Amino acid sequence: MIKTLFLINNNGDVIIEKHWRGLTPRSVAQYFWNEISNYENKKDAKPIIQTQKETLIFIERVDMYYLAVIPIEGSPLMVVEFLDRLSQIFAKFFGKMPTEDVIKENFVIIYELLDEMMDNGFPLTTEPSVLEEMINISKQRSVKSSDLIPTGSLSNTPWRKPGIKHSPNEILIDFIERIDTIIEVNGTPVTTEIDAKALVDCRLSGMPELTMSFNQPRLVEDISFHPCVRYNHWEQYQKVNFVPPDGEFQLLTYSIKSPNIQVPIYSDPIFKWEKNKGVLDLKIGIKNNQEKPVENVSIIIPFPKNIEKPKLVCSDGSVLFDESSKKIKWKIGKLKERASHLSGTIPLTPDTAPPEERPTALAEFRVVSLSASGLKVDRIDLHNENYKVFKGVRFITEAGNFQIRF
Amino acid sequence: MSKFYKIKVIRRNEIKDSLDNEDINAKLDALHLIVAMMSRGKYTDDFFPDVIKNIVTEEMEVKKLVYLYLLHHAEKEPDLALLSISAFQKDLKHTNQLIRALALRVMSSIKIPMISQLILLAIKDSVNDSSPYVRRSAALAIPKVFQLSPDLKSSLIELIEGLFGDDHPMVIGGVIAAFNEVCPDSYPIINPFFRKILSKLPDIDEWGQVSCLELLMRYARTHDFWNSISSDSENPQDNINEKTPLDPDLILLLKSSSLLFRSHNPAVVSAVASIFFYLAPPSQLLLLPKFLIKFLKSSPQTQFIILYNIGTICSKYPELFRPYYQEFILSVTDPEYIRKLKVNILAEITDQTNIYNTFKEIRNYLHNSSIPVVTEAIRAISKSTLKAPVILDSCLTCLMKLVHNRPDEIIGQSVSMIKILLQTKPEEHIDIITEFTKLIDKISQPEAKASAIWVVGEYSDKIPTFAPDVLRKCAKSFKNEPVLVKHQILNLAAKLFLRNKEQTYSLVEFILKLAKFDDDYDIRDRARFVSYLLFNGTPISNHLNEIFLTTKATLVLPSEFGKLESFTLGTLSNIQNQPIPGYVPLPNFPEIPPDPSLRKPIKSESKKSKKSKKSKKSKKSKKNNQNEKNNQNEQNEQSKQSKKSKKSKKKKKLRLTKEMKKQYSFLFSEDEDFYSSTESEKEENLLKSEEKEESLLKIEEIEEKTEKDLENKENSNISISKTTSSYSSRSTSSYSSRSYSTSSSSYSSESESESKSKTESKSKTKSKSKSKSKSKSKSKSESESESKSESKSKSKSESESKSKSKSKSILDISNSKKSQNNLSNIQLDEIIQKDNQPSNQLISNLDNSEVDLNSLFFNSIPTQSKHKMPEKIQEEIPNFETRILLNRVKGNGLEINYQISRKSSVYQYHTTIQLTLTNHRKETINNITMASESKYIIPFPKINILNSKQTTDTICSINFRVKTETISFTIETTTEKFPVKITPKIGEMLVSKEINEDEFDKEIQKLKGMNQTSIKISLETTTIEEISRIIKQNVNMFQLISSLESTLKFFGLTNESNSKKIYIQFQDSLLKIFSENFFIIHILLKDLKAVLINK
């Protein structure tokens, strides 16, 4: 249960404050700021801070701090999740990441949103499509109050209002499978896992009911769903049955851990700390059995504080060095048939010992229409409505937390 | 709008003027400016009267902003705020539900105790509002009034109780939040609604689900569901094993809440996890890990809390997360606090089985850039080593590397941990102890130094030459050491004195003297104590060795999360490890559980009658309820699309009679005391009759459906599911307990399957011995001519069956023993086996064997003899459906039909498929083969020639692996290729097996609840024989001869290596399927449902 919400910018200034259960002085926000300023890196601050009277729970999103003041015992996950949803809904409403400027620009709408989203410290409505109906974002001030009844929210499907019309009717589903892996120096993965979500862009008329079936439903044992999906149906038939909200939403998430995950790239890392420098050699290439183009490839290698500007050569793309964060960023772009190669030396700051920790590279890439897990959608059926519908399903494999150990 | 936020110079008079302005835009601009000032923490109190004036506006935007301002300032200006009340009261009667709800919400948020009575009145009106949106606002306003004036509690509780009767899930979510805050332990209110809340659980909004689950957990803890089987009442949960019967309400609770594991909201999943952690039998916790672990992919803040949840669970059940250790491997992107938690959990779940993997990982973290992470890693690696001492040497080597040139914290932690590790096997690590004597000078951290000195003292007998020297150095620096170290120096002195008096006497004397004049009184006391013991020969002095030199027990490092267990999982207190205001410990199980009959739902009719006595309000509410019901029905109908008018008429009729019945009961209960037992009995009867009607309705619906099915087979699954769902929703409205049995989800329990596999292996060994004697008979039959063998082997099998009483599943073993060269042999074997069934089944099985023998012939010679089979047989035995594999047209004249055979296959876990090939062409077909890459398909032998107009039978074997996936392969001839596929039914992937009835009953008792699913089949439209026939035809299972009349029992195993037992029971027009594998029972039920209703 949230007593007060503060939105705080990167300098510790309160931008928005909203009180649900009595006023909280701004000094609490100041206290919070002092606490997290003790950390060298603010990201290392624990998300729960105990003061004498209250508990503070915060999240940080795009340099904005969402601080909730919690007066009494309750589920902390509920608070964190609510704050997270808040930032997501802001992003959805304003069409861009909720930075300080965006928030200042839309502060009135934010207050209206907060009023609808929380009552007496309890989350009320967090369904974006319902909020969009209730809050007039279009700045047209002539809207009459009677137009604002949240019709959909009263039905059995509060996320969808009746009478939606689209032409043509189409539903596009992007399955984004992100590979999380840690690959040892010798090329064997310590762990490989897929963390996937299905993003739906739904433009269907009326009250469509959809059933989606997979080729191997057993692969996705831990699947979880948007509230519009009937859980019971899944448990019984291993099919996803739902009445979709209108527009974009995240239908489901799943993760897969299996030795059969197709990792589209391979790496050959060599690294050695010598007396006053590190010697780096890294090859990245497409795996033999991989036919789809691997795009947007880039490699980031963070280094400890005591290194100087490195001397590096690469066969493809470009190498950048960020002096402040001590990160090497190698942008490759689209992988060619032969492996791309990066090599060179990283000088140490004079009179410092080589670090103990070996560097780890983080890879990024994107492969369109590859399902790394092997999961496929068998079919999508439309019930309840009688129109023709265009159904598009696309699998995209991306690098998630893709680590290459040196 | 940003301009408002950025305006620095504010002309207050201009704003006030604009607020008075008629122009809406000017008003809005002014209000925006004021709100912007509020946000920036500027003084805006002086606008109060001017803003409040605008509350009467009809303009929604203006209204919202005025409300916003009002709430922010009402506390400071209570008198002025009161002026707005009349405006709210007007809005409460507005025609727009949104405005009614908003007015109630804002009015109840004004924190002025004076108006609490007014708010209470407003709530009382709103709980009967026609809009659930307003009713929810009313529910959420209740705790606000409670905060303002706690003395109104009793009337608030009354309101809550009334709202629990509301059927809209939106309202239920709100009222539970109110309940949790106003009267969290008034459980008697919940009793009658317990089952209803469970049935509505999936429909409540996600935040309401969290409150709901939290309430349900507390409720279940206080209403002991375990029938107090446990001897010690401390924690009955641990005492439950698989055999303990669970209370049906607990099963219901676990089932309903387990559905929510699929929620994408971590708060919901964590709440379900808590319910399982505190209420479920340990065997059912296996579900838990994967759903929690999934959220380790989300934001670090969510991970942080989830990791605490996992840690707390681990401290009790470390084995749960053991298979998932890879999830806790550190990532470079993890913030420090996540890394620390992950390392701790890794240590928690390490044991002998995974030590090498985790050790390798944790060893890497010893070189992490963050010092706190390294110290945690040191602790973790030591803790793992204590649990799995195989890595002791490597662990000590790793830690010894850390005691040089490192930050103090790391050296300190390493030394402390080495000290603990040394205690396990000190004699093997004298080199390390020696190393320690050298270290003492270099260590500055007090704890580490104290530990090092303790090690030297403890094992001084193993390093006799070094120890006195250490004492000498210590004596020199004694004066400047911290208290902790001084204590250990005194200990060292005493120990050395006892072991090596000659060399150390004067040194000890010197140190004790120094200590006696120390600043610290503890040290002075300790010094006096030691010197008295050592130098003044008291009677105790004889026991000095026992005092100072006893061998110490090995320490066990406590779990980092162990202490957290004292706070309820998932709470803030649990993470902060301190009680947060408002924390209520998890209630203990009661010693005497309350009567479960309390949970019998109060019928809606009776509730209404109760209300009607009180006031006329009830009429209104009843109307509302009815309206709602109608609405729901309408929606149902809408969703079912355009139905035939015939059907809707029928439905209406039924509904009308139902309504009438209700009215009837309503009148009835008005005259008599409703609480009397006879009355409630009557009500029950009424309820039953209602149920019957409903079941009738359901059957009708199903009939309609089947019609539809025929028309449109593709949609059949969905439409059936719809009927059931619509049925269940209706039945829940009358709260019939029966409807719950249809909802289902189940779990496999590891321990059971283990025990099962044991018994299986036993039976196998038994059968081995028997198979030997059998092989003789086989060789005989082999030598005989084929024509004779038919009759002979038949008689043989009869005699065999008499002589051999019970043999079980010989086939698998005999198969593996013998080469597959003689197919007929093994099939004979099967026949024998099949005949070993109780006598009254013998005849049908004999017939069966004849068929088998027939087919045995067909394998070698293509004949048309199949048609000669007596027709009687086809009636007796279940007539398997012959399906088309390759139709005549597609096969260009080659037709292939197939039957899935019940005979066990030659190959283990395979199902035999009988194929009938017919050549309709004019020319012969040569070299017919079956091609497949799958290793699960054993093709039929090549058919060299198939003459024109000829038919041949052959068999192939497929291992379906108990999956309903379609199997594809190709049939090839010399010139052509035909792709074909077989879609198997789960009923054919079972192996029938004998079982006696007692065992059957015992087993299904165990599986009851979580591992069962059921369907209602009315006997009015069918007979028990018919059902028996259909089941036999569709499912390959053994039918028991039940002692009870009109009860059917079937038993079988899945045809796979770790076969699962499956039980089917039909009793009281309820078909129940039991198995540990929920996947199978659901598919089986689905299949059976289709055929039983379709027939």
Side-chain angles (χ1 to χ4, degrees), chain B residues 735-767:
Chain B
Y735 317 146
S736 79
S737 57
R738 217 180 266 186
S739 68
Y740 298 117
S741 59
T742 47
S743 69
S744 48
S745 73
S746 44
Y747 319 94
S748 63
S749 56
E750 249 183 9
S751 57
E752 254 182 66
S753 65
E754 265 170 39
S755 69
K756 199 191 65 201
S757 65
K758 266 183 206 165
T759 55
E760 244 181 30
S761 63
K762 263 187 204 166
S763 72
K764 275 185 185 174
T765 47
K766 260 190 214 164
S767 54

Tab-separated table of all heavy atoms in Angstrom, chain B residues 735-767:
chain	number	residue	atom	x	y	z
B	735	TYR	N	-23.641	-21.690	-6.118
B	735	TYR	CA	-22.601	-22.186	-5.189
B	735	TYR	C	-22.707	-23.674	-4.956
B	735	TYR	O	-22.578	-24.156	-3.825
B	735	TYR	CB	-22.658	-21.505	-3.828
B	735	TYR	CG	-22.880	-20.042	-3.891
B	735	TYR	CD1	-23.611	-19.403	-2.908
B	735	TYR	CD2	-22.343	-19.286	-4.917
B	735	TYR	CE1	-23.827	-18.057	-2.954
B	735	TYR	CE2	-22.573	-17.936	-4.979
B	735	TYR	CZ	-23.322	-17.321	-3.996
B	735	TYR	OH	-23.544	-15.992	-4.041
B	736	SER	N	-23.035	-24.430	-5.924
B	736	SER	CA	-23.091	-25.870	-5.678
B	736	SER	C	-21.681	-26.402	-5.542
B	736	SER	O	-20.787	-26.031	-6.296
B	736	SER	CB	-23.795	-26.574	-6.836
B	736	SER	OG	-22.897	-26.704	-7.896
B	737	SER	N	-21.517	-27.238	-4.560
B	737	SER	CA	-20.162	-27.727	-4.311
B	737	SER	C	-19.705	-28.643	-5.435
B	737	SER	O	-18.549	-28.858	-5.648
B	737	SER	CB	-20.124	-28.475	-2.991
B	737	SER	OG	-21.044	-29.511	-3.040
B	738	ARG	N	-20.666	-29.201	-6.139
B	738	ARG	CA	-20.287	-30.175	-7.139
B	738	ARG	C	-19.504	-29.552	-8.288
B	738	ARG	O	-18.667	-30.181	-8.886
B	738	ARG	CB	-21.529	-30.843	-7.684
B	738	ARG	CG	-21.298	-32.311	-7.958
B	738	ARG	CD	-22.534	-32.919	-8.499
B	738	ARG	NE	-23.322	-33.516	-7.427
B	738	ARG	CZ	-24.416	-34.217	-7.683
B	738	ARG	NH1	-24.820	-34.401	-8.908
B	738	ARG	NH2	-25.102	-34.735	-6.701
B	739	SER	N	-19.845	-28.352	-8.572
B	739	SER	CA	-19.213	-27.740	-9.741
B	739	SER	C	-17.704	-27.649	-9.579
B	739	SER	O	-16.979	-27.572	-10.542
B	739	SER	CB	-19.777	-26.343	-9.957
B	739	SER	OG	-19.365	-25.523	-8.908
B	740	TYR	N	-17.256	-27.693	-8.362
B	740	TYR	CA	-15.809	-27.544	-8.177
B	740	TYR	C	-15.019	-28.741	-8.673
B	740	TYR	O	-13.886	-28.646	-9.044
B	740	TYR	CB	-15.484	-27.303	-6.709
B	740	TYR	CG	-16.097	-26.044	-6.223
B	740	TYR	CD1	-17.053	-26.037	-5.228
B	740	TYR	CD2	-15.725	-24.827	-6.807
B	740	TYR	CE1	-17.632	-24.870	-4.811
B	740	TYR	CE2	-16.306	-23.660	-6.387
B	740	TYR	CZ	-17.252	-23.670	-5.392
B	740	TYR	OH	-17.799	-22.510	-4.995
B	741	SER	N	-15.686	-29.872	-8.610
B	741	SER	CA	-14.941	-31.059	-9.014
B	741	SER	C	-14.554	-31.026	-10.485
B	741	SER	O	-13.677	-31.733	-10.912
B	741	SER	CB	-15.752	-32.312	-8.714
B	741	SER	OG	-16.971	-32.243	-9.420
B	742	THR	N	-15.230	-30.173	-11.242
B	742	THR	CA	-14.877	-30.148	-12.656
B	742	THR	C	-13.614	-29.355	-12.921
B	742	THR	O	-12.882	-29.648	-13.839
B	742	THR	CB	-16.015	-29.559	-13.495
B	742	THR	OG1	-16.443	-28.386	-12.853
B	742	THR	CG2	-17.126	-30.536	-13.669
B	743	SER	N	-13.407	-28.372	-12.116
B	743	SER	CA	-12.182	-27.616	-12.351
B	743	SER	C	-11.010	-28.481	-11.959
B	743	SER	O	-11.066	-29.221	-10.994
B	743	SER	CB	-12.171	-26.347	-11.511
B	743	SER	OG	-12.042	-26.703	-10.174
B	744	SER	N	-9.975	-28.400	-12.713
B	744	SER	CA	-8.922	-29.356	-12.412
B	744	SER	C	-7.547	-28.887	-12.840
B	744	SER	O	-7.373	-28.194	-13.834
B	744	SER	CB	-9.230	-30.661	-13.109
B	744	SER	OG	-9.561	-30.394	-14.425
B	745	SER	N	-6.617	-29.274	-12.052
B	745	SER	CA	-5.215	-29.141	-12.420
B	745	SER	C	-4.483	-30.044	-11.459
B	745	SER	O	-4.913	-30.228	-10.337
B	745	SER	CB	-4.733	-27.715	-12.247
B	745	SER	OG	-4.609	-27.427	-10.899
B	746	SER	N	-3.440	-30.640	-11.875
B	746	SER	CA	-2.838	-31.615	-10.984
B	746	SER	C	-1.333	-31.669	-11.139
B	746	SER	O	-0.759	-31.115	-12.062
B	746	SER	CB	-3.441	-32.973	-11.266
B	746	SER	OG	-3.509	-33.169	-12.642
B	747	TYR	N	-0.737	-32.355	-10.255
B	747	TYR	CA	0.719	-32.339	-10.210
B	747	TYR	C	1.228	-33.758	-10.069
B	747	TYR	O	0.609	-34.593	-9.443
B	747	TYR	CB	1.193	-31.526	-9.010
B	747	TYR	CG	0.389	-30.305	-8.843
B	747	TYR	CD1	-0.698	-30.281	-8.011
B	747	TYR	CD2	0.693	-29.195	-9.625
B	747	TYR	CE1	-1.476	-29.168	-7.939
B	747	TYR	CE2	-0.075	-28.088	-9.550
B	747	TYR	CZ	-1.162	-28.064	-8.714
B	747	TYR	OH	-1.925	-26.949	-8.650
B	748	SER	N	2.334	-33.998	-10.616
B	748	SER	CA	2.924	-35.296	-10.399
B	748	SER	C	3.810	-35.219	-9.187
B	748	SER	O	4.451	-34.220	-8.938
B	748	SER	CB	3.743	-35.693	-11.616
B	748	SER	OG	4.785	-34.784	-11.768
B	749	SER	N	3.825	-36.261	-8.417
B	749	SER	CA	4.672	-36.234	-7.240
B	749	SER	C	5.808	-37.208	-7.446
B	749	SER	O	5.605	-38.348	-7.834
B	749	SER	CB	3.865	-36.602	-6.017
B	749	SER	OG	3.270	-37.843	-6.226
B	750	GLU	N	6.965	-36.712	-7.194
B	750	GLU	CA	8.155	-37.490	-7.481
B	750	GLU	C	8.204	-38.773	-6.666
B	750	GLU	O	8.446	-39.848	-7.170
B	750	GLU	CB	9.387	-36.662	-7.161
B	750	GLU	CG	10.139	-36.279	-8.388
B	750	GLU	CD	11.374	-35.544	-8.021
B	750	GLU	OE1	11.717	-35.479	-6.825
B	750	GLU	OE2	11.994	-35.044	-8.942
B	751	SER	N	7.979	-38.606	-5.397
B	751	SER	CA	8.192	-39.727	-4.504
B	751	SER	C	7.328	-40.915	-4.914
B	751	SER	O	7.744	-42.052	-4.824
B	751	SER	CB	7.871	-39.316	-3.076
B	751	SER	OG	6.557	-38.850	-3.008
B	752	GLU	N	6.148	-40.615	-5.369
B	752	GLU	CA	5.281	-41.714	-5.734
B	752	GLU	C	5.804	-42.473	-6.930
B	752	GLU	O	5.808	-43.684	-6.956
B	752	GLU	CB	3.895	-41.189	-6.032
B	752	GLU	CG	2.949	-41.519	-4.916
B	752	GLU	CD	1.574	-41.043	-5.237
B	752	GLU	OE1	1.007	-41.596	-6.186
B	752	GLU	OE2	1.097	-40.146	-4.559
B	753	SER	N	6.203	-41.721	-7.905
B	753	SER	CA	6.645	-42.383	-9.107
B	753	SER	C	7.871	-43.240	-8.825
B	753	SER	O	8.071	-44.277	-9.423
B	753	SER	CB	6.947	-41.366	-10.196
B	753	SER	OG	8.026	-40.572	-9.813
B	754	GLU	N	8.669	-42.773	-7.879
B	754	GLU	CA	9.828	-43.570	-7.496
B	754	GLU	C	9.400	-44.916	-6.946
B	754	GLU	O	9.857	-45.964	-7.364
B	754	GLU	CB	10.646	-42.840	-6.433
B	754	GLU	CG	11.771	-42.053	-7.028
B	754	GLU	CD	12.404	-41.168	-5.990
B	754	GLU	OE1	12.533	-41.624	-4.841
B	754	GLU	OE2	12.741	-40.042	-6.336
B	755	SER	N	8.507	-44.867	-5.985
B	755	SER	CA	8.084	-46.093	-5.345
B	755	SER	C	7.469	-47.038	-6.365
B	755	SER	O	7.608	-48.241	-6.302
B	755	SER	CB	7.089	-45.797	-4.246
B	755	SER	OG	5.888	-45.336	-4.806
B	756	LYS	N	6.801	-46.420	-7.334
B	756	LYS	CA	6.146	-47.220	-8.337
B	756	LYS	C	7.170	-47.970	-9.176
B	756	LYS	O	7.038	-49.144	-9.441
B	756	LYS	CB	5.297	-46.323	-9.209
B	756	LYS	CG	4.265	-47.100	-9.949
B	756	LYS	CD	3.648	-46.216	-10.973
B	756	LYS	CE	4.680	-45.844	-11.965
B	756	LYS	NZ	4.313	-44.653	-12.686
B	757	SER	N	8.188	-47.256	-9.559
B	757	SER	CA	9.181	-47.887	-10.412
B	757	SER	C	9.844	-49.051	-9.696
B	757	SER	O	10.230	-50.036	-10.299
B	757	SER	CB	10.223	-46.865	-10.852
B	757	SER	OG	10.940	-46.412	-9.753
B	758	LYS	N	9.934	-48.926	-8.391
B	758	LYS	CA	10.489	-50.035	-7.629
B	758	LYS	C	9.614	-51.264	-7.762
B	758	LYS	O	10.082	-52.354	-8.043
B	758	LYS	CB	10.581	-49.648	-6.154
B	758	LYS	CG	11.940	-49.095	-5.774
B	758	LYS	CD	11.955	-48.827	-4.304
B	758	LYS	CE	12.964	-47.746	-3.976
B	758	LYS	NZ	12.765	-47.204	-2.645
B	759	THR	N	8.341	-51.077	-7.509
B	759	THR	CA	7.454	-52.225	-7.575
B	759	THR	C	7.481	-52.821	-8.962
B	759	THR	O	7.377	-54.025	-9.120
B	759	THR	CB	6.007	-51.838	-7.226
B	759	THR	OG1	5.639	-50.771	-8.091
B	759	THR	CG2	5.878	-51.436	-5.793
B	760	GLU	N	7.644	-51.983	-9.920
B	760	GLU	CA	7.686	-52.480	-11.265
B	760	GLU	C	8.871	-53.399	-11.488
B	760	GLU	O	8.753	-54.489	-12.017
B	760	GLU	CB	7.780	-51.320	-12.233
B	760	GLU	CG	6.564	-51.267	-13.091
B	760	GLU	CD	6.710	-50.135	-14.050
B	760	GLU	OE1	7.854	-49.818	-14.417
B	760	GLU	OE2	5.695	-49.591	-14.389
B	761	SER	N	9.997	-52.943	-11.054
B	761	SER	CA	11.190	-53.742	-11.253
B	761	SER	C	11.055	-55.087	-10.551
B	761	SER	O	11.519	-56.106	-11.014
B	761	SER	CB	12.421	-52.998	-10.750
B	761	SER	OG	12.315	-52.800	-9.384
B	762	LYS	N	10.375	-55.068	-9.429
B	762	LYS	CA	10.138	-56.316	-8.731
B	762	LYS	C	9.345	-57.271	-9.598
B	762	LYS	O	9.678	-58.428	-9.757
B	762	LYS	CB	9.358	-56.045	-7.444
B	762	LYS	CG	10.247	-55.946	-6.221
B	762	LYS	CD	9.359	-55.848	-5.010
B	762	LYS	CE	10.096	-55.166	-3.870
B	762	LYS	NZ	9.184	-54.772	-2.810
B	763	SER	N	8.265	-56.770	-10.109
B	763	SER	CA	7.405	-57.632	-10.898
B	763	SER	C	8.150	-58.178	-12.099
B	763	SER	O	7.911	-59.273	-12.563
B	763	SER	CB	6.161	-56.878	-11.347
B	763	SER	OG	6.509	-55.949	-12.326
B	764	LYS	N	9.071	-57.384	-12.575
B	764	LYS	CA	9.834	-57.843	-13.719
B	764	LYS	C	10.694	-59.046	-13.350
B	764	LYS	O	10.761	-60.016	-14.070
B	764	LYS	CB	10.718	-56.725	-14.249
B	764	LYS	CG	9.957	-55.834	-15.196
B	764	LYS	CD	10.876	-54.818	-15.807
B	764	LYS	CE	10.082	-53.863	-16.666
B	764	LYS	NZ	10.893	-52.775	-17.167
B	765	THR	N	11.336	-58.941	-12.243
B	765	THR	CA	12.193	-60.047	-11.849
B	765	THR	C	11.375	-61.312	-11.647
B	765	THR	O	11.818	-62.409	-11.976
B	765	THR	CB	12.951	-59.740	-10.556
B	765	THR	OG1	12.017	-59.220	-9.621
B	765	THR	CG2	14.083	-58.764	-10.801
B	766	LYS	N	10.203	-61.162	-11.131
B	766	LYS	CA	9.336	-62.309	-10.953
B	766	LYS	C	9.073	-62.973	-12.289
B	766	LYS	O	9.204	-64.169	-12.453
B	766	LYS	CB	8.000	-61.859	-10.355
B	766	LYS	CG	7.883	-62.086	-8.876
B	766	LYS	CD	6.445	-61.838	-8.513
B	766	LYS	CE	6.329	-61.233	-7.128
B	766	LYS	NZ	5.028	-60.646	-6.887
B	767	SER	N	8.662	-62.163	-13.192
B	767	SER	CA	8.224	-62.710	-14.467
B	767	SER	C	9.372	-63.352	-15.226
B	767	SER	O	9.166	-64.224	-16.040
B	767	SER	CB	7.576	-61.622	-15.312
B	767	SER	OG	8.466	-60.559	-15.429
